[in-house]
Amino acid sequence: MNKKAISLISGGLDSALSTKLILDQGIEVVGLHFTSPFSSRRERVEGLQAIRTANELGIRLILKEKGPEYIDVVRNPKHGYGKNMNPCIDCRIFMLRKTGEIMADEGAGFVVTGEVLGQRPMSQRRQTIALIERESGLESLIVRPLSAKHFEPSKPEIEGIVDRSKLSDIAGRGRSIQYDLVARYNLKEFGCPGGGCLLTDAAFSGRLRDFFTYEDTFTMLDVELLNTGRHFRIRPDAKMIIGRNKQENERLRSLWAVPYTLVYPSGFQGPLGILKGRVDTEVIAIGANIIAYYGKNRSPVITIESNDGSISRHEVERSDEDPERYKV
């Protein structure tokens, strides 16, 4: 085994500290960050924190897309979901298996993670950590510098590549020890704990669950739409998304593309929407009533326009049906 490691860099506090503890032992470290279609809006706006973390640590960073395979993991996780649509155990196994492939390509001997025993209720319990390591194919090749002394020595520790005495024994959800280490190393580039994955968000998860129930093909545009506006399942084969404010209306307009249908009010103020699926007179009528409801239009006839590549005008009778019944 050589003195080279692949370290999983999330951009968070724990992975930064774990990497630093290994670097301080004179071991070459290459960072690895998995990008996800389900990353938080904050991360997409501010850019990848992992890049800034790797730059501060002075290490090379590999960016790896989770890709279409990961969608299958999210759709059908072997080990189930957390509180929402977050398949944390299967996600961890997926990433470590991919890490094993990159470890071989890079000629690295082991993997470093920022795991802390007992910090996360689903994926960082002792039995779960053992299961993840076993199913990833990396048994005894994972070093967890922050919690190392709570586990049996890994192969790099046994062989003396990593000095176990210089590793830590942190456990639980508190972070006071980590912040003491941050002060000691004067680290500044790390993100706040939590909030990095849309799959842990209840509203997003509800929309994704609906999507997996009624739709087959999944694209990056679908992720953007799932994270924008109000959602309505009009029929099993038709869905509508409308903006909640001016910014979301503009966002939906910028995201719209054929074969989806853009719909918007004519002669009154109201939200803009996108229709997906089979759009017929029934769907247009329900969609118009939804737009009128949120636009506070009480006229007996609702006028909207649609654009599916060509613009059409529709006059629809008001319905007393509550649009909330369709809401996802």
Side-chain angles (χ1 to χ4, degrees), residues 54 65 92 116 146:
E65 289 186 7
R92 197 72 184 170
V116 173
L146 296 182

Side-chain angles (χ1 to χ4, degrees), residues 140 142 148-159 164:
S140 197
I142 301 175
K149 293 178 181 176
H150 289 290
F151 297 96
E152 292 297 315
S154 62
K155 187 176 179 181
E157 295 166 75
I158 292 170
E159 294 192 3
R164 183 176 172 84

Side-chain angles (χ1 to χ4, degrees), residues 125-280:
R125 295 176 296 171
R126 185 178 297 279
Q127 288 182 328
T128 307
I129 286 174
L131 180 150
I132 291 170
E133 181 171 315
R134 184 170 62 252
E135 292 201 11
S136 71
L138 295 176
E139 284 186 277
S140 197
L141 295 178
I142 301 175
V143 178
R144 305 173 181 87
L146 296 182
S147 283
K149 293 178 181 176
H150 289 290
F151 297 96
E152 292 297 315
S154 62
K155 187 176 179 181
E157 295 166 75
I158 292 170
E159 294 192 3
I161 301 297
V162 174
D163 186 345
R164 183 176 172 84
S165 70
K166 295 180 180 179
L167 304 182
S168 195
D169 60 353
I170 303 171
R173 306 191 72 173
R175 292 176 178 267
S176 60
I177 299 175
Q178 285 98 313
Y179 282 111
D180 287 343
L181 289 171
V182 164
R184 181 194 305 175
Y185 292 125
N186 194 31
L187 295 178
K188 296 180 175 62
E189 288 295 349
F190 54 86
C192 299
C197 179
L198 288 172
L199 298 174
T200 63
D201 179 81
F204 184 89
S205 293
R207 296 167 184 174
L208 182 62
R209 194 177 292 112
D210 171 84
F211 184 97
F212 283 159
T213 300
Y214 296 107
E215 303 182 45
D216 296 321
T217 305
F218 194 87
T219 67
M220 283 303 298
L221 174 58
D222 292 312
V223 178
E224 298 294 338
L225 290 174
L226 286 171
N227 198 30
T228 305
R230 294 184 174 96
H231 290 237
F232 303 85
R233 177 61 60 182
I234 295 175
R235 285 191 319 228
D237 63 350
K239 181 181 179 180
M240 183 177 193
I241 304 106
I242 64 170
R244 289 173 290 194
N245 50 47
K246 181 180 178 182
Q247 289 74 26
E248 286 194 339
N249 285 340
E250 291 173 353
R251 180 172 174 77
L252 286 173
R253 189 185 296 276
S254 70
L255 290 172
W256 167 72
V258 176
Y260 297 161
T261 300
L262 189 70
V263 287
Y264 44 90
S266 178
F268 68 97
Q269 295 292 319
L272 176 147
I274 288 178
L275 288 168
K276 297 176 58 182
R278 189 165 69 88
V279 178
D280 53 21

Side-chain angles (χ1 to χ4, degrees), residues 28-145:
E28 180 185 357
V29 177
V30 175
L32 172 61
H33 177 77
F34 287 92
T35 60
S36 168
F38 304 111
S39 60
S40 68
R41 183 176 293 179
R42 178 188 68 197
E43 187 168 80
R44 283 178 286 168
V45 170
E46 297 177 0
L48 292 175
Q49 176 61 53
I51 294 175
R52 297 190 290 275
T53 299
N55 287 339
E56 182 177 53
L57 293 169
I59 63 173
R60 177 165 61 92
L61 182 68
I62 298 170
L63 296 177
K64 175 75 172 176
E65 289 186 7
K66 288 182 177 177
E69 293 174 86
Y70 183 62
I71 303 301
D72 294 333
V73 171
V74 176
R75 192 187 289 267
N76 297 298
K78 176 182 176 182
H79 299 286
Y81 298 108
K83 185 177 180 180
N84 294 298
M85 288 287 283
N86 47 311
C88 296
I89 295 173
D90 292 270
C91 177
R92 197 72 184 170
I93 293 167
F94 176 87
M95 289 193 295
L96 286 170
R97 283 176 178 167
K98 294 297 181 184
T99 303
E101 296 171 8
I102 292 170
M103 186 173 71
D105 293 340
E106 288 286 328
F110 61 99
V111 176
V112 177
T113 76
E115 292 167 294
V116 173
L117 180 65
Q119 187 180 91
R120 297 185 184 275
M122 188 173 181
S123 62
Q124 293 185 7
R125 295 176 296 171
R126 185 178 297 279
Q127 288 182 328
T128 307
I129 286 174
L131 180 150
I132 291 170
E133 181 171 315
R134 184 170 62 252
E135 292 201 11
S136 71
L138 295 176
E139 284 186 277
S140 197
L141 295 178
I142 301 175
V143 178
R144 305 173 181 87

